Amino acid sequence: MDIDITADEQAFRQEVREFALANLPQSVRDKVLFGAKLDKAEYVDWQQRLYRKGWIAPSWPVEYGGAGWNLSRRRVFLHELALCCAPETISFGLTMVGPVIYTFGSDEQKARYLPSILNSETWWCQGFSEPNAGSDLSSLRTRAQDRGDHYVINGQKTWTTFGMYADKMFCLARTSDEGKQQNGISFLLLDMNAPGVERRPIQTIDEGASICEVFLNDVVVPKSDLVGTEGRGWDYAKFLLGHERAMIARVGRSRMQLERAKRIAASQHDGGRPLIEHPLFQYRICEIETRVRALEISELRALAGYQPEKGFDGATSSMLKVEGSEICQALTELLVDLTGHYSKVYQGRYEQSPVGGTDAHGVMGDHLFNRVVTIYGGSSEIQKNVIAKSRLQ
Ligand SMILES: Cc1cc2nc3c(=O)[nH]c(=O)nc-3n(C[C@H](O)[C@H](O)[C@H](O)COP(=O)(O)OP(=O)(O)OC[C@H]3O[C@@H](n4cnc5c(N)ncnc54)[C@H](O)[C@@H]3O)c2cc1C
């Protein structure tokens, strides 16, 4: 596969770089570099700048307001933004429910929801997992009872990322107990400010609280907010999870972290020599760089085989997810080791370590939080089961 970029794409890369540098405050770029959490207002500001430029949805079809770019233009765009320490756009609307709505939703849903996803006015969260339904998602028990022109929802969702700030939730709920477990599940769009929705924050190991539990008590959802056909929610969820898992590969972010690791390895010394001259660190940096390059090619191959109506092939997106998330963790471990004692003086994710300058800033918080990447979007064990069933039988 040809991964060299053309002269046109070189010029585009420069345009992206200039746009990012002109539109991103240094404070936001620092937060991204140091792995700190951004405020909602900072995300919205950046996303609206991308929206006004026409760059907010690189992979969406033009008819729905996307850029409609080809594969290599998208790659140049995403990777250049990552190298400029731009925030990744919030995926729940743009990468997850947006494609589900324009592929399976009604015309009314497309008209109502897609514009406010694109301009970041509406924030979405994902209501799939429940206390006893994570890996075994089809055993979920949140129930949607049919009341004529609407459903009444009762149940509990958990680990809901950005649920505290979201306006809407795309949610899986059981509408029938007949047949296979997967067949009785429907895909609903729910208002997070509706009566009966209660949110409780969950504190994470890095002392952040970006996730929450959501309790649903007699929440009314009009039938017009059922996506596609009742009982076919599992199919739409699989389509969405393919997008989610492919996205978790995060090649651009890993390239940014690798550059940071190299800079730190050149500036930190041991025994009078920069760490980058030590064989152990040379080996680790080279190994990760090779894996990032290989992942990038695998990602391109996956994107080249992408079929809009079917989404990503399940096993392919699982492979990207496993390798991408393991690289992400290898990088945060490398950064912790490169910064030695400095990163271990941990006073909370948002705090600059009192010793060691900015090299260690955010390293431990990012390392702790990134334990999650091999869990969310489906754990590595589950991805390996998916790959084995698809490729080894
Ligand atoms: C920070 C964070 C954010 C999240 N955000 C969201 C969100 O926004 N929306 C949402 O819906 N969900 C979200 N999740 C939930 C996430 O998708 C689940 O945590 C994940 O699917 C694992 O489910 P579980 O936690 O119930 O673990 P379990 O399913 O109980 O698994 C526990 C362990 O058993 C292993 N295991 C389970 N079954 C098998 C098997 N068949 N074979 C081999 N090993 C197995 C798992 O790999 C894991 O190691 C988030 C989770 C976290 C931690």
Side-chain angles (χ1 to χ4, degrees), residues 123-370:
W123 269 45
W124 289 80
C125 64
Q126 177 185 32
F128 282 12
S129 302
E130 298 183 4
N132 291 307
S135 302
D136 184 15
L137 187 58
S138 64
S139 65
L140 62 87
R141 288 190 298 191
T142 293
R143 187 162 291 277
Q145 282 174 314
D146 190 334
R147 296 280 172 82
D149 65 347
H150 65 272
Y151 296 101
V152 173
I153 319 280
N154 281 286
Q156 182 193 344
K157 297 293 172 182
T158 192
W159 309 119
T160 315
T161 302
F162 293 138
M164 297 301 291
Y165 318 107
D167 311 295
K168 300 284 295 184
M169 171 190 274
F170 53 91
C171 163
L172 293 180
R174 187 160 294 290
T175 39
S176 160
D177 294 312
E178 305 283 308
K180 274 173 61 184
Q181 270 189 329
Q182 286 86 340
N183 292 346
I185 294 174
S186 297
F187 194 108
L188 299 164
L189 309 175
L190 180 152
D191 188 347
M192 289 294 280
N193 295 309
V197 177
E198 188 194 338
R199 322 172 204 205
R200 292 187 201 155
I202 301 174
Q203 194 173 38
T204 44
I205 190 171
D206 61 332
E207 298 174 15
S210 56
I211 55 177
C212 67
E213 299 175 286
V214 181
F215 297 84
L216 305 167
N217 302 308
D218 289 336
V219 179
V220 171
V221 174
K223 285 251 171 98
S224 56
D225 278 337
L226 166 76
V227 174
T229 309
E230 185 180 282
R232 292 223 20 227
W234 190 251
D235 295 336
Y236 312 139
K238 280 198 297 186
F239 174 91
L240 182 146
L241 286 170
H243 285 75
E244 180 181 6
R245 289 171 182 162
M247 177 203 73
I248 294 175
R250 300 177 89 190
V251 175
R253 180 166 172 83
S254 287
R255 282 168 53 136
M256 180 194 86
Q257 293 282 67
L258 188 62
E259 292 309 308
R260 184 178 184 200
K262 287 182 187 171
R263 280 198 300 274
I264 295 174
S267 69
Q268 295 288 337
H269 288 69
D270 180 44
R273 284 162 67 201
L275 295 178
I276 202 150
E277 291 178 13
H278 283 253
L280 178 65
F281 283 113
Q282 283 180 339
Y283 174 80
R284 285 176 67 184
I285 290 171
C286 287
E287 191 199 15
I288 295 175
E289 184 151 16
T290 310
R291 288 175 70 187
V292 172
R293 293 286 288 170
L295 180 65
E296 188 178 350
I297 295 170
S298 303
E299 186 185 57
L300 279 175
R301 201 177 291 127
L303 288 168
Y306 176 74
Q307 293 175 298
E309 292 298 320
K310 292 189 180 164
F312 286 97
D313 162 60
T316 304
S317 52
S318 293
M319 286 183 221
L320 293 176
K321 204 248 159 181
V322 172
E323 181 61 359
S325 54
E326 289 181 359
I327 290 174
C328 177
Q329 292 182 342
L331 273 163
T332 66
E333 279 158 26
L334 174 64
L335 286 164
V336 166
D337 291 341
L338 284 168
T339 45
H341 300 310
Y342 299 148
S343 61
K344 292 178 184 67
V345 188
Y346 184 56
Q347 296 185 317
R349 182 160 186 153
Y350 310 101
E351 303 298 324
Q352 159 76 43
S353 168
V355 291
T358 54
D359 275 356
H361 193 171
V363 166
M364 184 55 78
D366 206 31
H367 172 63
L368 292 173
F369 187 74
N370 274 294

Side-chain angles (χ1 to χ4, degrees), residues 75-102:
R75 176 174 70 111
V76 168
F77 177 70
L78 294 176
H79 291 181
E80 198 53 37
L81 285 186
L83 290 175
C84 293
C85 301
E88 290 166 334
T89 51
I90 300 292
S91 55
F92 297 104
L94 287 162
T95 323
M96 295 194 216
V97 77
V100 169
I101 292 175
Y102 68 63

